[in-house]
Amino acid sequence: MGRVTSETTATDAAAHRAPEPAGQPPVWQRRLRRFGYPARPQADVRARLVPPFPEPGGRMWAAFGVGPRAAARLTRRSGWAGPLLVTLFAGVLRFWDLGSPRKVIFDETYYPKDAWSLLQYGYEGTWAKNANDALVGHPPQLLLSPEHSYVVHPPMGKWLIALGEWAFGMNPFGWRFMVALLGTLSVLLVCRIGRRLLRSTALGCLAGTLLAVDGLHFVMSRTALLDLIVMFWVVAAFGCLLVDRDRTRGRLADALPLGPDGLARPDAGVGDRLRLGWRPWRIAAGLCLGLSAATKWNGLYFLAAFALMSVLWDVAARRTAGARRPFRSAVRRDALPAFGSTVVVALATYLASWSGWIATKGGYYRDWATTPEGQKAGWTWLPDWLRSLWHYQTEVYAFHTGLTTPHTYQSNPWSWLVLGRPVSYFYEDPKAGQDGCTAAEGCAREVLALGTPLLWWAACFALLYVLYRWLFKRDWRAGAVACGVAAGYLPWFLYQERTIFLFYAVVFVPFLCLALAMMIGALIGPPGSTERRRTIGAVGAGVLVLLIVWNFIYFYPLYTGMPIPKSAWHHRMWFDSWV
């Protein structure tokens, strides 16, 4: 072998370099193993594209005296039976005494009244200053006039609240009904998402159970605000993208050639050139993301994050299928359809949500384009309603970015994960003998938007675990969960001077629960672990979950406005910033 000098070409050097041993990963991967970065697994390509659900064992059913055939049937049905039972539990919690407190609490002073106005006029009218007391008076009064009012959130969420008011009347139960329903259904979605994401019915149901007993999600499910509605559509979009991922990767796997052993093998032609065809689940995700943005604008961050994530999933799928240039192939064949299925569909959905404002003439800024100011603004070839709507959006954007009015319960996003400053939605201090108070010292009634503390603090460690799994183990599931948290959390750091609140965090609570379920699954141990390892892990995981449930029960009176003695209320104020 000749000496290699600076004048030796790369081709010559490569020709004289000792070949890599067969079956060995590249040098760079072997070096990164020192930091926990594994080589690419050499499993069947089909299994890598669409990992199968593991075969459940029958030991648990056998312990209850269930025969093998019956155990097999129960196992098959548990994929839906388990999530439905968890959802039933969550629904009972959320609908029980939903009309209490019989008050207009916190920002219910805005959205239920706007929702009722949409039912009457198609746009938001004006309410009298004493409308809140009149709504819950005896008899109740609706002090609404058709004079338009200035509102700063899109109408979709208010239309959904209006469905409950249409069905049950303009009362606390009616205006909270749809939010409670969506909060309950979001638990079902998280159970099924967790099952598909983690390939475990038990961990999926665990994630849903954690969401069911989170205090912030619970309070937001029983209050007619918009943020939980945003969360529901975001979770629905995430679930749709997961289904789309499995189906399109299955399509790639079906197109791959089979080797002599009958297993699918990578093929550059399939990986680079196969068109993935009609993808209705990604269109459904675009619809859900549009509905989230049509409720509150922070849904737009999820639209950007999830659309990018979907394309990156396509890149990874093509690489696994054998594509030589997976990024270029995904950009050429998948990026434009992904843009149409998510961004275009979402924008069309957002525009459609303004149909009531467009179809009527009384809404705020509805006729701005016909005013002298509107005529001078240009773009007069566009329809007047579209120009008026665009002006309205710019005014709302200026309001949101300039909102710096101090508020007692505002908080910085740095403190959210540790629950630094929760928001009190309602507080009264009845005396003995009033409003169900039986304590001689007097009572406190409060609705506090506080996440279950032990759940959130454990989730902080779960987020570190998820980041480790994503960065060093190349676990796409961890990356997907981290993406959901990042899209709901990180954008608020751009607005630290703005008046913002902890309850905005409800939009990423489901992803915290998925992260915690993922960490608990690791704590229990992977399949194939020793019985001693899994027993110890299961005991530790069980203790953690029971402590979280106990913590929810302990704070339950603060979530529902139950009257408790003043001393009991003080005991639950663990930090001065919670008061």
Side-chain angles (χ1 to χ4, degrees):
M1 174 177 170
R3 187 166 61 93
V4 179
T5 69
S6 60
E7 296 179 357
T8 306
T9 64
T11 303
D12 293 336
H16 290 89
R17 187 181 299 125
E20 293 283 347
Q24 287 292 322
V27 174
W28 67 271
Q29 287 191 6
R30 296 204 298 273
R31 288 175 177 170
L32 285 176
R33 280 185 175 183
R34 302 171 190 171
F35 304 98
Y37 193 82
R40 188 181 300 277
Q42 300 299 316
D44 174 28
V45 177
R46 170 175 285 278
R48 289 169 56 195
L49 283 169
V50 188
F53 279 85
E55 289 295 329
R59 294 178 59 185
M60 183 186 73
W61 299 114
F64 290 98
V66 179
R69 290 187 178 180
R73 288 196 301 271
L74 289 171
T75 299
R76 286 195 301 270
R77 294 172 183 172
S78 65
W80 275 104
L84 287 174
L85 284 174
V86 175
T87 305
L88 177 63
F89 166 69
V92 170
L93 283 176
R94 280 148 181 76
F95 280 97
W96 184 266
D97 201 15
L98 181 61
S100 177
R102 187 175 170 78
K103 302 281 186 178
V104 178
I105 64 175
F106 199 60
D107 278 359
E108 285 186 341
T109 190
Y110 302 118
Y111 310 122
K113 293 188 291 186
D114 287 344
W116 184 262
S117 180
L118 288 175
L119 280 178
Q120 309 307 311
Y121 309 126
Y123 62 90
E124 292 87 346
T126 299
W127 292 78
K129 289 185 177 180
N130 60 333
N132 288 354
D133 293 333
L135 282 173
V136 293
H138 300 283
Q141 294 178 287
L142 304 175
L143 306 181
L144 173 65
S145 71
E147 178 66 24
H148 58 230
S149 62
Y150 179 59
V151 295
V152 295
H153 291 298
M156 188 64 240
K158 290 170 279 189
W159 278 114
L160 287 174
I161 293 172
L163 289 177
E165 295 173 344
W166 171 77
F168 301 103
M170 187 57 174
N171 54 67
F173 181 86
W175 66 61
R176 294 170 189 161
F177 175 82
M178 283 302 298
V179 184
L181 178 62
L182 295 181
T184 302
L185 291 178
S186 67
V187 172
L188 175 62
L189 289 177
V190 168
C191 288
R192 293 290 296 177
I193 286 170
R195 179 179 184 272
R196 181 176 291 271
L197 186 72
L198 305 176
R199 290 301 195 258
S200 168
T201 300
L203 291 181
C205 290
L206 173 61
T209 301
L210 293 172
L211 187 64
V213 297
D214 174 63
L216 181 61
H217 185 275
F218 176 75
V219 170
M220 297 298 288
S221 297
R222 294 169 53 88
T223 312
L225 272 63
L226 301 179
D227 300 85
L228 185 124
I229 301 175
V230 177
M231 180 227 66
F232 174 81
W233 293 119
V234 164
V235 172
F238 186 75
C240 290
L241 288 177
L242 283 179
V243 177
D244 172 75
R245 183 184 188 276
D246 279 353
R247 293 201 172 190
T248 52
R249 290 169 77 92
R251 201 171 299 157
L252 274 170
D254 291 340
L256 292 174
L258 300 179
D261 54 1
L263 299 179
R265 60 184 184 185
D267 182 86
V270 172
D272 278 318
R273 293 191 292 273
L274 182 71
R275 295 190 178 277
L276 299 178
W278 173 248
R279 300 174 68 168
W281 283 101
R282 192 155 68 177
I283 295 174
L287 175 65
C288 292
L289 290 167
L291 291 171
S292 71
T295 302
K296 285 186 78 172
W297 279 2
N298 57 318
L300 292 172
Y301 293 111
F302 286 94
L303 172 61
F306 285 0
L308 177 60
M309 181 177 69
S310 179
V311 173
L312 292 178
W313 283 351
D314 290 343
V315 173
R318 290 186 179 277
R319 180 186 295 114
T320 302
R324 291 191 178 93
R325 299 178 179 84
F327 184 80
R328 188 175 74 173
S329 299
V331 169
R332 291 177 61 183
R333 289 178 170 79
D334 305 322
L336 186 60
F339 182 83
S341 300
T342 54
V343 177
V344 174
V345 170
L347 291 179
T349 303
Y350 179 86
L351 188 63
S353 72
W354 287 88
S355 296
W357 183 90
I358 295 169
T360 58
K361 290 294 184 181
Y364 204 87
Y365 280 133
R366 177 61 182 85
D367 296 322
W368 173 87
T370 62
T371 65
E373 181 187 359
Q375 293 295 320
K376 294 177 182 178
W379 301 85
T380 54
W381 53 274
L382 289 173
D384 287 344
W385 65 265
L386 184 58
R387 295 172 59 235
S388 297
L389 181 60
W390 176 255
H391 178 72
Y392 197 172
Q393 308 307 295
T394 60
E395 291 295 310
V396 169
Y397 178 78
F399 169 84
H400 283 304
T401 55
L403 181 60
T404 57
T405 305
H407 192 283
T408 303
Y409 291 105
Q410 72 182 71
S411 59
N412 191 284
W414 286 107
S415 69
W416 288 0
L417 289 179
V418 294
L419 303 173
R421 181 59 170 165
V423 182
S424 180
Y425 287 176
F426 166 79
Y427 182 85
E428 285 183 348
D429 51 352
K431 306 298 182 185
Q434 298 177 351
D435 293 334
C437 178
T438 58
E441 62 182 300
C443 294
R445 296 183 63 202
E446 184 171 27
V447 175
L448 186 66
L450 171 72
T452 302
L454 292 185
L455 190 157
W456 280 65
W457 297 339
C460 292
F461 294 97
L463 285 179
L464 294 176
Y465 172 74
V466 161
L467 291 174
Y468 163 74
R469 291 289 307 180
W470 177 45
L471 294 173
F472 292 102
K473 299 293 185 180
R474 294 184 295 167
D475 191 333
W476 72 270
R477 304 168 304 167
V481 172
C483 179
V485 175
Y489 185 36
L490 297 184
W492 292 110
F493 286 92
L494 301 174
Y495 306 100
Q496 295 188 60
E497 301 301 322
R498 187 186 183 277
T499 307
I500 53 180
F501 303 92
L502 170 64
F503 67 81
Y504 294 171
V506 73
V507 73
F508 62 82
V509 167
F511 299 98
L512 294 182
C513 294
L514 288 169
L516 188 51
M518 192 173 181
M519 186 183 75
I520 289 174
L523 181 64
I524 295 173
S529 301
T530 64
E531 185 172 348
R532 177 182 174 83
R533 163 72 177 83
R534 289 181 67 88
T535 299
I536 294 174
V539 170
V543 169
L544 174 60
V545 173
L546 288 176
L547 286 174
I548 289 172
V549 173
W550 164 83
N551 206 212
F552 172 78
I553 295 171
Y554 180 72
F555 283 99
Y556 183 82
L558 299 187
Y559 299 144
T560 56
M562 292 174 56
I564 57 175
K566 276 285 187 66
S567 58
W569 179 84
H570 280 293
H571 289 158
R572 287 165 172 80
M573 295 295 106
W574 286 359
F575 302 99
D576 291 341
S577 61
W578 289 9
V579 179

